[in-house]
Every structure is written in structure tokens, then in C-alpha cells.
Amino acid sequence: MLAACLLLASPLTPAEEVIHVAYSERPPYLITQPDGTPGGLTGAPATAAFHNAGIPVQWHKVPSNRQLMMVKDHASPSCAIGWFNTPQRRQYGKFTKAIYRDRTWVVLSNAAFAARNIVSLAELARQHDARVLVKDNYSYGNLDAFMTHWQPVKAISTASTLKMLQSVNTGMVDLMFVSEDEGHYIMQHHAAQHPNLRLLAFKDMPRGMERHIMCGTNVPDEVIARLNKAITFK
């Protein structure tokens, strides 16, 4: 379950601890490379930031809830890749500058729900029988407030995004929200195996949010500053 690789861009000093950095396989954001480091839209800039900042790293490929546990646990300095900066998470974490920004949100639905021909969030808000699949402990940015107002039938999953789409395809749920990047990747690489999937772009969808490296409060501010200096996004 763990995939670990040390990056030593500069010699260790006695006071410098290895930072444990967690991520989960989530194309196109996070894709493990042959050398054991994370690549992808958020993985590649995070890997480059740690390397260019000269910060020693041990990579851990673990589920998202385990990533949160590592960040909250002060047993060792830990970070996680690609998380939204939300008020709740700032209570237990520190955030770097953005390493990527999603383009916009889209809806991944099954064919039966797509046949309703909904074209906007305003219309979707009137579909109170809709069954929506959300990831446990995830934030969907501005859509969090929308879903609170909408109050659909909500199912919560701890599975990976690629496993969650099986529930959409088979009709166990009607839809899930994904980023435009992720939605296009799914349709390009997995639509053949899941022929009932449909990608819906609504005209009033909010723009996607920035993604960051999130670290525990025991990660020194100096490490965050070095990472921020090394991050080239924006």
C-alpha cells in the first residue's frame, strides 16, 4: 500500500527531518511515475517543488482519509498533495501557494439521468430525487453550498474516483461532480468499459478551485516558505 522514495536534492542537516508526503492515484492529477514519484497535474509540480526546495521527502501512496490522518497526526511532519484550502482544513493544516487550478466543474451522470436534458445548476436544484455520490471528507468548492441548498439524496463513498464512476454507470446513483480535467480523462480512458456514462457541462457551473500542498501544523514554516519559493504556478 505504501510506495516510498527519498528525494535528496541537497545534503541533510541534522535538524532537517524527512517530510512524509501522501497522495493517492487519481489521474490526471496524480499518477505514480516509474521512479516512484507522483506525476500528473498536481503530482508533477509538487514533486518539483520539494526537489527544487531541497526538502527530503518520503512518498506515501494512501487513500484520502489516511492522508488527512497523517496531516493531523503530529508523530511525524506530513503533507498531502492537491487539496483545497478551506476554513475547516486551516484548523489543522498549513497550505502552500497554489500548485494548480481546476478549470471548471462538470457533472458525470448515467444515460438515464442525462435524458432529463438538464442544462444548468438552477434546473438541477429542482431535481430533489437526484441521487448524488460524493467523496467522504472532500470539498467541492462552491458546490458545497449549492448541495446544502439543494439537499439531494446523497451517498458518501470512500472509494477512488474511478471506482465511484462504476456506481454512476450502473445506476446505483445518478451523478457525481468532477473537475473538467478529470471528467474528460474518464470519458477518454474509461467510457468504453462504462457505456452509460455521460459528461454534462452546465452553463452556470462555478470555476474550479486552486489546489495546494497541505501540511500538518508541525511542519516548520521555513519548509512552507521554501516550497512557496520553489512553486512556479502563477
Side-chain angles (χ1 to χ4, degrees):
M1 194 70 176
L2 291 181
C5 177
L6 284 177
L7 287 180
L8 301 179
S10 62
L12 282 172
T13 63
E16 192 168 26
E17 288 188 85
V18 171
I19 305 296
H20 297 265
V21 184
Y23 73 100
S24 56
E25 200 80 11
R26 188 186 176 187
Y29 291 112
L30 290 151
I31 306 168
T32 304
Q33 302 302 294
D35 65 356
T37 63
L41 297 177
T42 57
T47 297
F50 279 102
H51 181 273
N52 294 335
I55 298 170
V57 172
Q58 188 170 23
W59 303 108
H60 299 271
K61 188 164 66 172
V62 295
S64 56
N65 278 343
R66 176 61 181 161
Q67 294 177 42
L68 292 175
M69 290 174 60
M70 290 176 64
V71 168
K72 294 176 181 179
D73 185 4
H74 289 176
S76 60
S78 300
C79 300
I81 298 173
W83 290 77
F84 294 157
N85 184 343
T86 67
Q88 180 186 21
R89 292 170 184 164
R90 287 196 294 273
Q91 295 177 14
Y92 56 80
K94 299 177 181 179
F95 289 82
T96 66
K97 294 179 354 185
I99 56 174
Y100 187 75
R101 180 165 189 166
D102 294 350
R103 286 184 286 178
T104 190
W105 292 98
V106 293
V107 169
L108 188 68
S109 80
N110 55 51
F113 190 82
R116 299 189 188 188
N117 295 318
I118 298 166
V119 298
S120 68
L121 284 178
E123 288 185 30
L124 185 63
R126 296 193 288 270
Q127 310 293 314
H128 296 292
D129 62 331
R131 299 165 298 165
V132 182
L133 186 61
V134 297
K135 187 82 174 274
D136 188 35
N137 283 320
Y138 264 38
S139 170
Y140 291 83
N142 293 334
L143 292 175
D144 290 340
F146 168 77
M147 283 190 277
T148 298
H149 170 74
W150 177 22
Q151 294 188 334
V153 179
K154 188 182 292 186
I156 299 174
S157 175
T158 59
S160 67
T161 300
L162 295 182
K163 288 185 178 179
M164 289 169 65
L165 65 87
Q166 297 175 13
S167 297
V168 177
N169 179 73
T170 59
M172 293 181 63
V173 295
D174 295 312
L175 64 96
M176 57 189 281
F177 292 104
V178 295
S179 71
E180 185 178 359
D181 292 309
E182 193 166 31
H184 285 307
Y185 181 93
I186 288 170
M187 297 306 291
Q188 181 180 355
H189 295 276
H190 300 281
Q193 302 99 305
H194 306 290
N196 287 323
L197 293 179
R198 301 291 185 270
L199 200 62
L200 311 178
F202 293 165
K203 58 186 179 182
D204 54 351
M205 273 291 194
R207 185 181 176 188
M209 292 181 63
E210 293 180 338
R211 295 182 179 273
H212 306 257
I213 300 170
M214 175 176 64
C215 300
T217 54
N218 61 333
V219 172
D221 289 340
E222 183 213 358
V223 169
I224 303 296
R226 287 163 64 184
L227 286 172
N228 283 339
K229 188 175 179 180
I231 290 170
T232 59
F233 182 71
K234 297 175 68 174

Short mmCIF file of all heavy atoms in Angstrom, two decimals, residues 49-106:
data_model
loop_
_atom_site.label_atom_id
_atom_site.label_comp_id
_atom_site.label_asym_id
_atom_site.label_seq_id
_atom_site.Cartn_x
_atom_site.Cartn_y
_atom_site.Cartn_z
N ALA A 49 8.53 20.92 -6.64
CA ALA A 49 8.69 21.91 -5.56
C ALA A 49 9.55 21.36 -4.44
O ALA A 49 10.47 22.04 -3.96
CB ALA A 49 7.32 22.34 -5.03
N PHE A 50 9.27 20.13 -4.00
CA PHE A 50 10.08 19.53 -2.93
C PHE A 50 11.52 19.36 -3.39
O PHE A 50 12.47 19.62 -2.64
CB PHE A 50 9.49 18.20 -2.50
CG PHE A 50 8.33 18.32 -1.54
CD1 PHE A 50 7.03 18.16 -1.98
CD2 PHE A 50 8.56 18.59 -0.20
CE1 PHE A 50 5.96 18.27 -1.10
CE2 PHE A 50 7.51 18.71 0.70
CZ PHE A 50 6.20 18.56 0.25
N HIS A 51 11.69 18.90 -4.63
CA HIS A 51 13.04 18.67 -5.16
C HIS A 51 13.81 19.98 -5.26
O HIS A 51 14.95 20.09 -4.79
CB HIS A 51 12.95 17.99 -6.52
CG HIS A 51 14.29 17.69 -7.13
ND1 HIS A 51 14.98 18.60 -7.90
CD2 HIS A 51 15.07 16.58 -7.06
CE1 HIS A 51 16.13 18.06 -8.28
NE2 HIS A 51 16.20 16.84 -7.78
N ASN A 52 13.19 21.00 -5.87
CA ASN A 52 13.89 22.27 -6.08
C ASN A 52 14.12 23.03 -4.78
O ASN A 52 15.04 23.85 -4.69
CB ASN A 52 13.10 23.13 -7.07
CG ASN A 52 13.08 22.52 -8.46
OD1 ASN A 52 13.96 21.76 -8.83
ND2 ASN A 52 12.05 22.86 -9.24
N ALA A 53 13.28 22.76 -3.77
CA ALA A 53 13.47 23.40 -2.47
C ALA A 53 14.51 22.67 -1.62
O ALA A 53 14.87 23.16 -0.55
CB ALA A 53 12.15 23.46 -1.72
N GLY A 54 14.97 21.50 -2.11
CA GLY A 54 15.96 20.74 -1.36
C GLY A 54 15.42 20.12 -0.09
O GLY A 54 16.14 19.96 0.89
N ILE A 55 14.13 19.76 -0.10
CA ILE A 55 13.50 19.19 1.09
C ILE A 55 13.43 17.67 0.95
O ILE A 55 12.88 17.16 -0.03
CB ILE A 55 12.08 19.76 1.27
CG1 ILE A 55 12.15 21.28 1.48
CG2 ILE A 55 11.36 19.09 2.43
CD1 ILE A 55 10.80 21.97 1.42
N PRO A 56 13.99 16.93 1.89
CA PRO A 56 13.95 15.46 1.81
C PRO A 56 12.53 14.94 2.01
O PRO A 56 11.81 15.38 2.91
CB PRO A 56 14.87 15.01 2.95
CG PRO A 56 14.86 16.14 3.91
CD PRO A 56 14.70 17.40 3.10
N VAL A 57 12.13 14.01 1.17
CA VAL A 57 10.74 13.55 1.11
C VAL A 57 10.66 12.04 1.13
O VAL A 57 11.48 11.35 0.54
CB VAL A 57 10.06 14.08 -0.18
CG1 VAL A 57 8.68 13.47 -0.35
CG2 VAL A 57 9.95 15.59 -0.14
N GLN A 58 9.66 11.53 1.81
CA GLN A 58 9.28 10.13 1.67
C GLN A 58 7.83 10.11 1.19
O GLN A 58 6.94 10.65 1.83
CB GLN A 58 9.41 9.36 2.99
CG GLN A 58 9.20 7.86 2.82
CD GLN A 58 9.57 7.09 4.08
OE1 GLN A 58 9.58 7.64 5.16
NE2 GLN A 58 9.87 5.82 3.92
N TRP A 59 7.61 9.50 0.03
CA TRP A 59 6.28 9.47 -0.57
C TRP A 59 5.46 8.30 -0.03
O TRP A 59 5.97 7.20 0.12
CB TRP A 59 6.37 9.33 -2.09
CG TRP A 59 7.18 10.40 -2.77
CD1 TRP A 59 8.41 10.26 -3.33
CD2 TRP A 59 6.82 11.77 -2.94
NE1 TRP A 59 8.84 11.45 -3.86
CE2 TRP A 59 7.89 12.40 -3.62
CE3 TRP A 59 5.69 12.51 -2.59
CZ2 TRP A 59 7.86 13.75 -3.96
CZ3 TRP A 59 5.67 13.86 -2.92
CH2 TRP A 59 6.74 14.46 -3.60
N HIS A 60 4.16 8.55 0.21
CA HIS A 60 3.25 7.51 0.70
C HIS A 60 2.00 7.52 -0.17
O HIS A 60 1.28 8.53 -0.21
CB HIS A 60 2.86 7.76 2.16
CG HIS A 60 4.01 7.75 3.11
ND1 HIS A 60 4.46 6.62 3.74
CD2 HIS A 60 4.81 8.77 3.53
CE1 HIS A 60 5.49 6.92 4.52
NE2 HIS A 60 5.72 8.22 4.41
N LYS A 61 1.73 6.42 -0.83
CA LYS A 61 0.51 6.31 -1.64
C LYS A 61 -0.57 5.67 -0.78
O LYS A 61 -0.56 4.46 -0.55
CB LYS A 61 0.77 5.50 -2.91
CG LYS A 61 -0.41 5.52 -3.88
CD LYS A 61 -0.03 5.06 -5.28
CE LYS A 61 0.36 3.61 -5.33
NZ LYS A 61 0.53 3.13 -6.72
N VAL A 62 -1.51 6.48 -0.30
CA VAL A 62 -2.53 6.02 0.65
C VAL A 62 -3.87 6.68 0.31
O VAL A 62 -3.93 7.72 -0.35
CB VAL A 62 -2.15 6.36 2.11
CG1 VAL A 62 -0.89 5.60 2.53
CG2 VAL A 62 -1.93 7.86 2.28
N PRO A 63 -5.00 6.10 0.76
CA PRO A 63 -6.31 6.70 0.50
C PRO A 63 -6.44 8.08 1.12
O PRO A 63 -5.70 8.45 2.03
CB PRO A 63 -7.29 5.70 1.14
CG PRO A 63 -6.53 4.41 1.21
CD PRO A 63 -5.10 4.79 1.43
N SER A 64 -7.42 8.84 0.65
CA SER A 64 -7.56 10.25 1.06
C SER A 64 -7.79 10.41 2.56
O SER A 64 -7.23 11.32 3.18
CB SER A 64 -8.69 10.92 0.28
OG SER A 64 -9.91 10.21 0.43
N ASN A 65 -8.61 9.56 3.18
CA ASN A 65 -8.84 9.70 4.62
C ASN A 65 -7.57 9.43 5.41
O ASN A 65 -7.33 10.05 6.45
CB ASN A 65 -9.95 8.75 5.07
CG ASN A 65 -11.34 9.32 4.80
OD1 ASN A 65 -11.49 10.51 4.57
ND2 ASN A 65 -12.35 8.47 4.83
N ARG A 66 -6.74 8.53 4.93
CA ARG A 66 -5.45 8.27 5.57
C ARG A 66 -4.52 9.47 5.42
O ARG A 66 -3.76 9.79 6.34
CB ARG A 66 -4.82 7.00 4.97
CG ARG A 66 -3.43 6.68 5.50
CD ARG A 66 -3.42 6.43 7.00
NE ARG A 66 -2.09 6.16 7.49
CZ ARG A 66 -1.73 6.26 8.76
NH1 ARG A 66 -2.63 6.61 9.68
NH2 ARG A 66 -0.49 6.00 9.13
N GLN A 67 -4.62 10.16 4.30
CA GLN A 67 -3.82 11.37 4.11
C GLN A 67 -4.17 12.41 5.17
O GLN A 67 -3.28 13.04 5.76
CB GLN A 67 -4.07 11.94 2.72
CG GLN A 67 -3.58 11.06 1.58
CD GLN A 67 -3.92 11.66 0.23
OE1 GLN A 67 -3.78 12.86 0.02
NE2 GLN A 67 -4.38 10.83 -0.69
N LEU A 68 -5.46 12.58 5.42
CA LEU A 68 -5.89 13.54 6.43
C LEU A 68 -5.40 13.14 7.82
O LEU A 68 -4.99 14.00 8.61
CB LEU A 68 -7.42 13.66 6.43
CG LEU A 68 -8.05 14.29 5.19
CD1 LEU A 68 -9.57 14.24 5.28
CD2 LEU A 68 -7.58 15.73 5.01
N MET A 69 -5.42 11.86 8.11
CA MET A 69 -4.94 11.38 9.40
C MET A 69 -3.46 11.68 9.56
O MET A 69 -3.00 12.09 10.65
CB MET A 69 -5.20 9.87 9.54
CG MET A 69 -6.66 9.50 9.69
SD MET A 69 -6.91 7.70 9.68
CE MET A 69 -5.91 7.22 11.11
N MET A 70 -2.70 11.50 8.49
CA MET A 70 -1.26 11.78 8.56
C MET A 70 -1.00 13.25 8.81
O MET A 70 -0.12 13.62 9.60
CB MET A 70 -0.58 11.33 7.26
CG MET A 70 -0.51 9.83 7.08
SD MET A 70 0.19 9.34 5.47
CE MET A 70 1.88 9.99 5.60
N VAL A 71 -1.75 14.13 8.14
CA VAL A 71 -1.56 15.56 8.32
C VAL A 71 -1.92 15.98 9.74
O VAL A 71 -1.24 16.82 10.35
CB VAL A 71 -2.41 16.34 7.29
CG1 VAL A 71 -2.46 17.83 7.63
CG2 VAL A 71 -1.85 16.14 5.89
N LYS A 72 -2.98 15.40 10.30
CA LYS A 72 -3.42 15.76 11.65
C LYS A 72 -2.54 15.15 12.73
O LYS A 72 -2.46 15.69 13.85
CB LYS A 72 -4.87 15.29 11.86
CG LYS A 72 -5.88 16.00 10.99
CD LYS A 72 -7.27 15.41 11.20
CE LYS A 72 -8.32 16.07 10.33
NZ LYS A 72 -9.67 15.49 10.51
N ASP A 73 -1.90 14.03 12.43
CA ASP A 73 -1.06 13.32 13.41
C ASP A 73 0.29 14.00 13.52
O ASP A 73 1.01 14.13 12.53
CB ASP A 73 -0.90 11.86 12.98
CG ASP A 73 -0.14 11.04 14.00
OD1 ASP A 73 0.19 11.58 15.09
OD2 ASP A 73 0.13 9.86 13.72
N HIS A 74 0.67 14.41 14.72
CA HIS A 74 1.93 15.12 14.91
C HIS A 74 3.10 14.20 15.20
O HIS A 74 4.17 14.65 15.62
CB HIS A 74 1.77 16.15 16.03
CG HIS A 74 0.90 17.30 15.63
ND1 HIS A 74 0.55 18.31 16.50
CD2 HIS A 74 0.32 17.62 14.44
CE1 HIS A 74 -0.23 19.19 15.88
NE2 HIS A 74 -0.37 18.78 14.63
N ALA A 75 2.93 12.90 14.99
CA ALA A 75 4.02 11.96 15.23
C ALA A 75 5.18 12.21 14.28
O ALA A 75 6.35 12.00 14.63
CB ALA A 75 3.53 10.52 15.09
N SER A 76 4.88 12.67 13.06
CA SER A 76 5.92 12.98 12.08
C SER A 76 5.41 14.09 11.18
O SER A 76 4.19 14.20 10.95
CB SER A 76 6.29 11.75 11.26
OG SER A 76 5.16 11.26 10.55
N PRO A 77 6.30 14.94 10.65
CA PRO A 77 5.86 16.02 9.77
C PRO A 77 5.35 15.46 8.45
O PRO A 77 6.06 14.75 7.74
CB PRO A 77 7.13 16.86 9.58
CG PRO A 77 8.26 15.91 9.83
CD PRO A 77 7.77 14.93 10.85
N SER A 78 4.10 15.78 8.12
CA SER A 78 3.46 15.19 6.95
C SER A 78 2.73 16.24 6.12
O SER A 78 2.25 17.24 6.65
CB SER A 78 2.46 14.10 7.37
OG SER A 78 3.10 13.07 8.10
N CYS A 79 2.65 15.96 4.82
CA CYS A 79 1.92 16.82 3.89
C CYS A 79 1.11 15.92 2.96
O CYS A 79 1.32 14.71 2.89
CB CYS A 79 2.87 17.68 3.05
SG CYS A 79 3.93 18.80 4.00
N ALA A 80 0.18 16.52 2.24
CA ALA A 80 -0.63 15.81 1.25
C ALA A 80 -0.78 16.71 0.03
O ALA A 80 -0.80 17.93 0.14
CB ALA A 80 -1.99 15.43 1.82
N ILE A 81 -0.92 16.08 -1.14
CA ILE A 81 -0.87 16.82 -2.40
C ILE A 81 -2.27 17.07 -2.97
O ILE A 81 -3.10 16.17 -3.02
CB ILE A 81 -0.05 16.03 -3.44
CG1 ILE A 81 1.40 15.86 -2.98
CG2 ILE A 81 -0.06 16.73 -4.80
CD1 ILE A 81 2.22 14.95 -3.89
N GLY A 82 -2.49 18.31 -3.40
CA GLY A 82 -3.64 18.62 -4.24
C GLY A 82 -4.94 18.94 -3.53
O GLY A 82 -6.01 18.79 -4.11
N TRP A 83 -4.88 19.43 -2.30
CA TRP A 83 -6.10 19.67 -1.53
C TRP A 83 -6.54 21.12 -1.63
O TRP A 83 -5.73 22.03 -1.76
CB TRP A 83 -5.86 19.29 -0.07
CG TRP A 83 -5.74 17.82 0.13
CD1 TRP A 83 -4.64 17.04 -0.15
CD2 TRP A 83 -6.74 16.93 0.63
NE1 TRP A 83 -4.89 15.73 0.15
CE2 TRP A 83 -6.18 15.63 0.62
CE3 TRP A 83 -8.05 17.10 1.07
CZ2 TRP A 83 -6.89 14.51 1.05
CZ3 TRP A 83 -8.76 15.98 1.50
CH2 TRP A 83 -8.18 14.71 1.49
N PHE A 84 -7.88 21.32 -1.54
CA PHE A 84 -8.43 22.67 -1.50
C PHE A 84 -8.15 23.29 -0.13
O PHE A 84 -8.18 22.61 0.90
CB PHE A 84 -9.95 22.66 -1.71
CG PHE A 84 -10.39 22.21 -3.08
CD1 PHE A 84 -11.67 21.71 -3.28
CD2 PHE A 84 -9.53 22.28 -4.17
CE1 PHE A 84 -12.09 21.30 -4.52
CE2 PHE A 84 -9.94 21.87 -5.43
CZ PHE A 84 -11.23 21.37 -5.60
N ASN A 85 -7.91 24.59 -0.14
CA ASN A 85 -7.69 25.35 1.09
C ASN A 85 -9.05 25.83 1.60
O ASN A 85 -9.63 26.78 1.07
CB ASN A 85 -6.77 26.53 0.80
CG ASN A 85 -6.41 27.31 2.06
OD1 ASN A 85 -7.06 27.20 3.09
ND2 ASN A 85 -5.38 28.13 1.96
N THR A 86 -9.58 25.16 2.63
CA THR A 86 -10.89 25.50 3.18
C THR A 86 -10.74 25.93 4.64
O THR A 86 -9.77 25.56 5.30
CB THR A 86 -11.85 24.30 3.11
OG1 THR A 86 -11.37 23.27 4.00
CG2 THR A 86 -11.95 23.76 1.69
N PRO A 87 -11.69 26.70 5.17
CA PRO A 87 -11.61 27.12 6.57
C PRO A 87 -11.49 25.95 7.54
O PRO A 87 -10.73 26.01 8.52
CB PRO A 87 -12.92 27.89 6.78
CG PRO A 87 -13.27 28.40 5.42
CD PRO A 87 -12.85 27.33 4.47
N GLN A 88 -12.21 24.86 7.28
CA GLN A 88 -12.14 23.71 8.17
C GLN A 88 -10.74 23.12 8.18
O GLN A 88 -10.21 22.77 9.25
CB GLN A 88 -13.15 22.65 7.73
CG GLN A 88 -13.14 21.40 8.61
CD GLN A 88 -14.04 20.31 8.08
OE1 GLN A 88 -14.39 20.28 6.90
NE2 GLN A 88 -14.42 19.38 8.95
N ARG A 89 -10.12 22.99 7.03
CA ARG A 89 -8.80 22.38 6.96
C ARG A 89 -7.71 23.29 7.52
O ARG A 89 -6.69 22.79 8.01
CB ARG A 89 -8.48 22.00 5.51
CG ARG A 89 -9.36 20.85 5.01
CD ARG A 89 -9.22 20.63 3.52
NE ARG A 89 -10.15 19.59 3.07
CZ ARG A 89 -10.48 19.39 1.80
NH1 ARG A 89 -9.96 20.15 0.85
NH2 ARG A 89 -11.33 18.44 1.47
N ARG A 90 -7.93 24.59 7.49
CA ARG A 90 -6.95 25.51 8.08
C ARG A 90 -6.89 25.38 9.59
O ARG A 90 -5.95 25.88 10.22
CB ARG A 90 -7.26 26.96 7.68
CG ARG A 90 -6.93 27.26 6.23
CD ARG A 90 -6.88 28.76 5.97
NE ARG A 90 -8.17 29.40 6.12
CZ ARG A 90 -9.07 29.51 5.14
NH1 ARG A 90 -8.81 29.01 3.95
NH2 ARG A 90 -10.22 30.13 5.37
N GLN A 91 -7.86 24.71 10.19
CA GLN A 91 -7.83 24.50 11.64
C GLN A 91 -6.75 23.50 12.04
O GLN A 91 -6.28 23.52 13.18
CB GLN A 91 -9.19 24.01 12.12
CG GLN A 91 -10.32 25.02 11.96
CD GLN A 91 -11.67 24.47 12.40
OE1 GLN A 91 -11.75 23.43 13.06
NE2 GLN A 91 -12.74 25.15 12.04
N TYR A 92 -6.36 22.63 11.12
CA TYR A 92 -5.33 21.64 11.47
C TYR A 92 -4.19 21.57 10.45
O TYR A 92 -3.28 20.75 10.60
CB TYR A 92 -5.96 20.25 11.60
CG TYR A 92 -6.72 19.78 10.38
CD1 TYR A 92 -6.06 19.24 9.28
CD2 TYR A 92 -8.12 19.86 10.34
CE1 TYR A 92 -6.76 18.81 8.16
CE2 TYR A 92 -8.82 19.42 9.23
CZ TYR A 92 -8.14 18.89 8.15
OH TYR A 92 -8.85 18.46 7.05
N GLY A 93 -4.22 22.42 9.41
CA GLY A 93 -3.21 22.33 8.39
C GLY A 93 -2.66 23.67 7.95
O GLY A 93 -3.25 24.72 8.20
N LYS A 94 -1.49 23.61 7.31
CA LYS A 94 -0.88 24.77 6.66
C LYS A 94 -0.89 24.51 5.15
O LYS A 94 -0.73 23.37 4.71
CB LYS A 94 0.57 24.94 7.12
CG LYS A 94 0.76 25.18 8.60
CD LYS A 94 2.25 25.28 8.93
CE LYS A 94 2.50 25.50 10.41
NZ LYS A 94 3.96 25.57 10.72
N PHE A 95 -1.03 25.57 4.38
CA PHE A 95 -1.12 25.41 2.94
C PHE A 95 -0.04 26.20 2.22
O PHE A 95 0.27 27.34 2.61
CB PHE A 95 -2.50 25.88 2.44
CG PHE A 95 -3.62 24.95 2.82
CD1 PHE A 95 -4.19 25.02 4.07
CD2 PHE A 95 -4.08 24.00 1.92
CE1 PHE A 95 -5.23 24.17 4.44
CE2 PHE A 95 -5.11 23.15 2.27
CZ PHE A 95 -5.69 23.23 3.52
N THR A 96 0.49 25.60 1.18
CA THR A 96 1.42 26.32 0.32
C THR A 96 0.63 27.19 -0.66
O THR A 96 -0.59 27.17 -0.68
CB THR A 96 2.28 25.35 -0.50
OG1 THR A 96 1.43 24.62 -1.42
CG2 THR A 96 3.00 24.36 0.41
N LYS A 97 1.35 27.90 -1.48
CA LYS A 97 0.74 28.56 -2.63
C LYS A 97 0.09 27.50 -3.52
O LYS A 97 0.40 26.31 -3.41
CB LYS A 97 1.79 29.32 -3.44
CG LYS A 97 2.41 30.48 -2.71
CD LYS A 97 3.47 31.24 -3.49
CE LYS A 97 3.90 30.72 -4.80
NZ LYS A 97 5.01 31.48 -5.41
N ALA A 98 -0.76 27.94 -4.42
CA ALA A 98 -1.43 27.00 -5.32
C ALA A 98 -0.42 26.33 -6.25
O ALA A 98 0.55 26.96 -6.71
CB ALA A 98 -2.47 27.73 -6.15
N ILE A 99 -0.65 25.04 -6.50
CA ILE A 99 0.18 24.31 -7.46
C ILE A 99 -0.60 24.03 -8.75
O ILE A 99 -0.01 23.63 -9.76
CB ILE A 99 0.70 22.99 -6.87
CG1 ILE A 99 -0.46 22.10 -6.37
CG2 ILE A 99 1.70 23.25 -5.75
CD1 ILE A 99 -0.01 20.72 -5.90
N TYR A 100 -1.93 24.25 -8.71
CA TYR A 100 -2.76 24.04 -9.90
C TYR A 100 -4.13 24.63 -9.62
O TYR A 100 -4.51 24.79 -8.46
CB TYR A 100 -2.90 22.54 -10.22
CG TYR A 100 -3.60 22.26 -11.53
CD1 TYR A 100 -2.95 22.45 -12.74
CD2 TYR A 100 -4.92 21.82 -11.56
CE1 TYR A 100 -3.59 22.23 -13.95
CE2 TYR A 100 -5.58 21.59 -12.75
CZ TYR A 100 -4.91 21.79 -13.94
OH TYR A 100 -5.55 21.57 -15.14
N ARG A 101 -4.86 24.97 -10.71
CA ARG A 101 -6.25 25.40 -10.55
C ARG A 101 -7.11 24.66 -11.54
O ARG A 101 -6.82 24.61 -12.74
CB ARG A 101 -6.42 26.90 -10.76
CG ARG A 101 -7.88 27.32 -10.58
CD ARG A 101 -8.07 28.80 -10.43
NE ARG A 101 -9.46 29.09 -10.06
CZ ARG A 101 -9.88 30.25 -9.60
NH1 ARG A 101 -9.04 31.24 -9.44
NH2 ARG A 101 -11.16 30.42 -9.30
N ASP A 102 -8.19 24.05 -11.04
CA ASP A 102 -9.14 23.35 -11.91
C ASP A 102 -9.80 24.34 -12.86
O ASP A 102 -10.01 25.51 -12.51
CB ASP A 102 -10.21 22.65 -11.08
CG ASP A 102 -9.66 21.52 -10.24
OD1 ASP A 102 -8.49 21.15 -10.44
OD2 ASP A 102 -10.41 21.02 -9.38
N ARG A 103 -10.19 23.85 -14.03
CA ARG A 103 -10.84 24.75 -14.99
C ARG A 103 -12.28 25.04 -14.59
O ARG A 103 -12.67 26.17 -14.38
CB ARG A 103 -10.77 24.14 -16.39
CG ARG A 103 -9.36 24.23 -16.98
CD ARG A 103 -9.33 23.72 -18.40
NE ARG A 103 -9.41 22.25 -18.44
CZ ARG A 103 -9.45 21.56 -19.58
NH1 ARG A 103 -9.43 22.19 -20.74
NH2 ARG A 103 -9.50 20.24 -19.55
N THR A 104 -13.11 24.04 -14.46
CA THR A 104 -14.48 24.23 -14.01
C THR A 104 -15.02 22.87 -13.57
O THR A 104 -14.35 21.85 -13.73
CB THR A 104 -15.38 24.82 -15.12
OG1 THR A 104 -16.64 25.19 -14.54
CG2 THR A 104 -15.62 23.83 -16.23
N TRP A 105 -16.21 22.87 -12.99
CA TRP A 105 -16.86 21.64 -12.60
C TRP A 105 -17.76 21.13 -13.73
O TRP A 105 -18.30 21.93 -14.50
CB TRP A 105 -17.73 21.85 -11.35
CG TRP A 105 -16.93 22.13 -10.11
CD1 TRP A 105 -16.67 23.35 -9.56
CD2 TRP A 105 -16.30 21.17 -9.28
NE1 TRP A 105 -15.91 23.22 -8.43
CE2 TRP A 105 -15.65 21.88 -8.23
CE3 TRP A 105 -16.19 19.78 -9.30
CZ2 TRP A 105 -14.94 21.26 -7.23
CZ3 TRP A 105 -15.48 19.14 -8.30
CH2 TRP A 105 -14.86 19.88 -7.28
N VAL A 106 -17.92 19.83 -13.82
CA VAL A 106 -18.85 19.21 -14.74
C VAL A 106 -19.59 18.11 -13.98
O VAL A 106 -19.21 17.75 -12.86
CB VAL A 106 -18.15 18.61 -15.99
CG1 VAL A 106 -17.56 19.72 -16.86
CG2 VAL A 106 -17.08 17.61 -15.58
#
